[in-house]
Amino acid sequence: MTGTTGPLDATAWDRRYADPAGVWGAAPNVWVVQELGALAPGRAMDLAAGEGRHALWLADRGWKVKAVDFSSTGLEVGRNVATAQALGENIEWIVQEATAITPEPGSADLVLVAYLQLPATQLQAAVTVAAGALAPGGRFLFVSHDASNLEHGTGGPQDPAVLQTPAQVAGWLRAAGMSILSAETRTRAVAGKLRPALDCVVVAQASPGDNERNRA
């Protein structure tokens, strides 16, 4: 949920996450619930986890989650909630910039990247490396503010450099060797706003391993 271009950005997000009112709220994103709610739990990486709302939601459903963000304050908010909800053993909180992660190949059954705000070159690099963490047949969910949201939607960044199209992100994931299950702009209602938000939502899957192909 947070972007990164340097340590000053992490400091700025630390200040935002220090607000007792919170930044993103506790409820998971609607597309996260829609796309992941029916999956059997396994090992997940939540990249740009922010205050951990999605990591907490996944952990509550039985997932073992690595929640990664460059804001130590944001992750501390999530860690405190996890402790209060007895979910602490299911989440590992990792302070790390999205562009500097080095996940172990095959270490995740799910990678979630939700609202990571980076310029295209940096975002593609982060997405590609994160995709490499997936085990055979693993799922990748990418959610962001769509490029069309700037003109036709509500909220979100006002810098077109950090906005994407589904075709753009799908191209990155195909180049990383993944199959695209869906890539589309979706409309999300926003409370108190006449216009909806427009989100870029891409779902992809890692190639199956030899054992899965043999069973097919």
Side-chain angles (χ1 to χ4, degrees):
M1 298 173 199
T2 52
T4 171
T5 55
L8 290 179
D9 290 320
T11 301
W13 279 99
D14 281 342
R15 288 196 296 268
R16 290 189 66 181
Y17 287 132
D19 186 340
V23 178
W24 308 111
N29 172 266
V30 61
W31 312 127
V32 172
V33 174
Q34 179 174 306
E35 295 296 337
L36 306 182
L39 293 184
R43 304 161 299 165
M45 178 170 68
D46 180 9
L47 185 60
E51 297 162 296
R53 60 174 175 151
H54 295 132
L56 290 160
W57 180 79
L58 288 166
D60 190 50
R61 301 182 68 83
W63 290 82
K64 298 293 186 181
V65 187
K66 292 184 177 180
V68 184
D69 200 278
F70 71 168
S71 171
S72 59
T73 302
L75 294 183
E76 186 63 23
V77 172
R79 183 184 289 108
N80 290 338
V81 175
T83 299
Q85 296 181 357
L87 296 172
E89 293 185 358
N90 287 349
I91 308 176
E92 180 182 359
W93 305 93
I94 302 171
V95 181
Q96 180 69 70
E97 292 194 4
T99 54
I101 60 169
T102 55
E104 179 184 351
S107 60
D109 304 300
L110 167 68
V111 169
L112 170 62
V113 180
Y115 301 103
L116 173 56
Q117 298 169 17
L118 288 173
T121 301
Q122 292 176 313
L123 183 59
Q124 180 180 5
V127 163
T128 300
V129 172
L134 284 172
R139 190 68 56 92
F140 194 110
L141 175 59
F142 179 94
V143 182
S144 72
H145 301 283
D146 194 84
S148 64
N149 190 67
L150 188 61
E151 182 177 356
H152 302 292
T154 292
Q158 299 302 296
D159 180 1
V162 298
L163 299 174
Q164 298 79 44
T165 68
Q168 181 182 22
V169 177
W172 299 342
L173 291 171
R174 285 194 189 96
M178 304 195 70
S179 300
I180 305 304
L181 303 181
S182 64
E184 55 193 5
T185 300
R186 298 185 184 178
T187 300
R188 173 172 49 86
V190 179
K193 302 293 184 181
L194 295 178
R195 294 202 304 184
L198 302 176
D199 288 335
C200 169
V201 182
V202 181
V203 186
Q205 188 167 22
S207 298
D210 291 338
N211 290 339
E212 289 189 33
R213 283 197 293 267
N214 292 337
R215 291 197 299 268

